[in-house]
Amino acid sequence: MRLAAPEQMRELDRKATEEHGIPSIDLMEQAAAGVCRETLALLPERPGKCRAAVFCGAGNNGGDGIAAARMLHLSGVKARVFLAGQYERLTPDALEETRRLSECGVELEPFDPEDKGQRAWVRKCHVIIDALFGVGLTREIAPDSLFAAAIEWINQSPGKVIAADIASGIDAGTGERKGCAVRADVTVTFTLPKIGLAVGDGALYSGRVVVEDIGIPAGLTRELSCAFQTVGEDLARAALPARKPDGHKGDFGRVLVIGGSAGYTGAPFLTASAAVRSGCGLVYLGVPNTVWPVLAVKCASAMPFPLPDQDGGLKLEAVPEILRRMESCDVLAIGPGLGRNPETLEAVREVLRETEKPVVLDADGINALEGHIDILDSRRDRVTILTPHEGEMARICQNVRQEDRLGWVNNFAREHPCIAVLKGHRTITAVNTGSAVNTLVNTTGNSGLAKGGSGDVLTGLIASLLAQGASPVMAAAGGVWMHGYAGDLAAADLTPWHMTPEDVINRFPEVFAALQ
């Protein structure tokens, strides 16, 4: 699903009104009707027995809320409308909606945090509508402001909360929480979902997202170029490699995994296991000689081999053997459990310089780029997929602003020729196409994946899909979706507390069956 930036939505509204002659008040009425429908659906009993409170700002988002209050009133719901902004700053459309509300016998009330009657009403409401801010909020909400008090009341109310367009306090362009924010049960967003609904705090505060058509011509939305989208089942299905009925193991890709060090044998094992279980024909696993006996016993399907080491970590002299092995392989996955021995990190850098093959770089493979980002830039015409968590990303980035994960990974992909997969809640895949950066936000996964080893599984899965013929973008973004969905299946059976990375791998058959 495409995700729109706030400025794009403002331009759509402008074109609809100025170029297509659609009155802006009509768009507001349509938006309010969508909010009203979802609100009525949440009522626990007949409308005539229910109460609603609507919190409004002075902008057009407030106008949406005022119009929705009128519609609820006409449906039989007892509604009161509280204005947290200044009356004299109401937009023309919001002022017109205020007039229409008054004609129905309901008045717009100034919000007063000290008014015990207002507080008592809100506490007895079945539903609360948040229409304080729209998609234009970029400033911090002052903690001593009327808006902060209104947000506190909304969040403390026992009723269901419906946000109009986006939960107030969330930056629609980044998902960042601007001081405080409404926690919505449902967000009714208009025309297209906004970027901030899918990432950061916005993904946590939005609840269930419903997209309402408010009458903007379909041609305008179709021609809108969106650099952001969510990853869903359809994209993951497109990433699933075909299987030749008469194929042999050489037809389904060859992956070389390089990883492991003394005390870290689990990481490369999980990477290799994930590659095997996701359909790769041949998986080779190169590990330091010290830990090779352990992996030789553990691996039944992947093929481990020893590499020169010292003190449990790879030596630089392992590079020629790695490059020799890569000649017959399709993809290199390097980094899981390698350790941060200086000589090991230099070995990683040398491999990156020399190999022309696609590389999936994870964990200590990414750490090897700290202070050596020029090596990544030298791979401009080669495929490189990075799968960092935030700590690894911070080591190789400058000017980091972790509150804006989306901007962070986008800027990195814009500056460097790679596909960057920033792991975490709503994993973000940023793709440098050469002329632009396209960004894909994942929608699967849960906190049960926040365990050591989960990232190693993802590395093996992406490398496997790539080796089997998926495009780099599809392998990365589709692999993230599959990995998260496998995690969701594991959590459903075992709970997020008890699931393990091995349980995620064991759910791959269900994921692939669902996608077929």
Side-chain angles (χ1 to χ4, degrees):
M1 183 180 290
R2 294 186 302 160
L3 300 171
E7 56 272 18
Q8 290 180 303
M9 296 310 303
R10 286 191 288 271
E11 181 63 8
L12 277 182
D13 287 345
R14 186 196 66 77
K15 286 184 176 181
T17 56
E18 295 181 11
E19 298 178 11
H20 290 257
I22 301 173
S24 56
I25 194 75
D26 290 356
L27 299 178
M28 185 172 285
E29 286 285 306
Q30 292 272 29
V35 173
C36 181
R37 276 193 298 273
E38 289 300 323
T39 303
L40 291 172
L42 289 178
L43 296 180
E45 47 190 326
R46 293 195 306 276
K49 294 187 175 182
C50 292
R51 294 184 176 196
V54 183
F55 285 85
C56 298
N60 281 339
N61 189 251
D64 297 336
I66 295 167
R70 185 188 81 247
M71 295 173 187
L72 287 174
H73 171 76
L74 294 175
S75 299
V77 178
K78 299 177 181 67
R80 290 177 68 177
V81 194
F82 306 114
L83 177 65
Q86 298 174 15
Y87 188 92
E88 58 272 18
R89 298 188 66 179
L90 285 170
T91 64
D93 285 345
L95 199 58
E96 171 59 20
E97 293 294 0
T98 301
R99 186 191 64 77
R100 295 179 184 185
L101 180 71
S102 181
E103 283 185 347
C104 294
V106 181
E107 299 298 331
L108 184 62
E109 307 175 40
F111 170 57
D112 180 1
E114 303 301 321
D115 189 319
K116 294 181 180 178
Q118 289 184 2
R119 181 175 285 275
W121 176 271
V122 172
R123 285 178 174 173
K124 292 179 181 179
C125 281
H126 301 89
V127 288
I128 314 290
I129 293 176
D130 158 36
L132 292 168
F133 296 106
V135 298
L137 178 72
T138 56
R139 69 180 187 276
E140 291 286 317
I141 297 174
D144 57 350
S145 66
L146 277 180
F147 294 110
I151 289 171
E152 182 181 8
W153 278 34
I154 293 170
N155 288 340
Q156 291 178 352
S157 67
K160 295 289 185 181
V161 176
I162 301 94
D165 215 7
I166 192 164
S168 291
I170 296 297
D171 187 315
T174 67
E176 182 182 349
R177 179 166 50 89
K178 310 303 285 186
C180 60
V182 167
R183 288 187 176 273
D185 296 293
V186 177
T187 295
V188 181
T189 197
F190 310 131
T191 308
L192 288 170
K194 316 306 181 288
I195 296 167
L197 295 170
V199 296
D201 288 325
L204 299 172
Y205 282 65
S206 299
R208 179 170 59 89
V209 176
V210 177
V211 182
E212 281 287 339
D213 180 359
I214 64 171
I216 289 178
L220 289 180
T221 57
R222 277 197 302 269
E223 68 187 25
L224 189 70
S225 176
C226 293
F228 304 89
Q229 70 179 87
T230 56
V231 180
E233 186 173 333
D234 288 346
L235 187 146
R237 183 173 289 111
L240 193 66
R243 303 283 294 185
K244 292 171 56 177
D246 60 344
H248 57 79
K249 60 190 176 184
D251 291 327
F252 301 119
R254 295 174 171 86
V255 167
L256 173 60
V257 179
I258 301 296
S261 58
Y264 294 94
T265 58
F269 173 74
L270 289 169
T271 300
S273 298
V276 170
R277 200 64 187 273
S278 53
C280 189
L282 291 163
V283 179
Y284 303 95
L285 174 57
V287 297
N289 185 61
T290 301
V291 300
W292 174 75
V294 177
L295 274 303
V297 171
K298 292 182 73 170
C299 290
S301 299
M303 294 166 281
F305 62 91
L307 290 167
D309 71 335
Q310 184 174 3
D311 299 327
L314 281 186
K315 294 183 69 176
L316 194 57
E317 65 188 65
V319 171
E321 177 63 10
I322 294 172
L323 295 175
R324 187 187 71 78
R325 296 267 184 168
M326 272 308 300
E327 291 177 3
S328 61
C329 290
D330 302 299
V331 177
L332 171 65
I334 185 167
L338 266 181
R340 301 186 67 183
N341 179 290
E343 187 169 353
T344 300
L345 298 182
E346 179 55 36
V348 173
R349 292 190 285 269
E350 186 62 21
V351 170
L352 290 175
R353 290 186 189 100
E354 295 298 325
T355 185
E356 298 290 329
K357 298 290 181 71
V359 174
V360 182
L361 199 61
D362 185 35
D364 293 315
I366 297 169
N367 290 331
L369 294 177
E370 184 178 2
H372 300 273
I373 202 68
D374 58 299
I375 294 171
L376 180 59
D377 296 337
S378 72
R379 292 183 53 84
R380 183 166 301 278
D381 297 322
R382 293 171 274 178
V383 174
T384 313
I385 300 175
L386 279 67
T387 61
H389 56 57
E390 291 187 2
E392 292 157 351
M393 192 75 171
R395 290 189 192 104
I396 60 173
C397 277
Q398 299 198 352
N399 302 318
V400 170
R401 186 168 174 270
Q402 295 190 22
E403 295 84 358
D404 181 10
R405 297 176 72 245
L406 190 68
W408 182 14
V409 69
N410 269 4
N411 288 337
F412 183 82
R414 185 175 293 107
E415 293 169 2
H416 305 290
C418 68
I419 296 175
V421 179
L422 181 57
K423 296 181 291 193
H425 179 250
R426 295 294 175 96
T427 292
I428 302 168
T429 301
V431 184
N432 186 324
T433 65
S435 58
V437 174
N438 292 333
T439 308
L440 303 103
V441 180
N442 192 48
T443 55
T444 58
N446 60 84
S447 64
L449 292 170
K451 292 186 173 77
S454 292
D456 304 312
V457 173
L458 177 62
T459 298
L461 174 57
I462 292 174
S464 173
L465 294 173
L466 192 56
Q468 292 176 70
S471 72
V473 175
M474 288 297 186
V480 170
W481 189 94
M482 295 177 198
H483 179 258
Y485 186 44
D488 290 339
L489 294 173
D493 285 345
L494 303 168
T495 79
W497 287 270
H498 301 102
M499 59 184 277
T500 67
E502 291 94 330
D503 294 320
V504 175
I505 295 174
N506 291 336
R507 278 0 184 245
F508 282 1
E510 296 170 69
V511 174
F512 279 58
L515 292 176
Q516 291 181 68

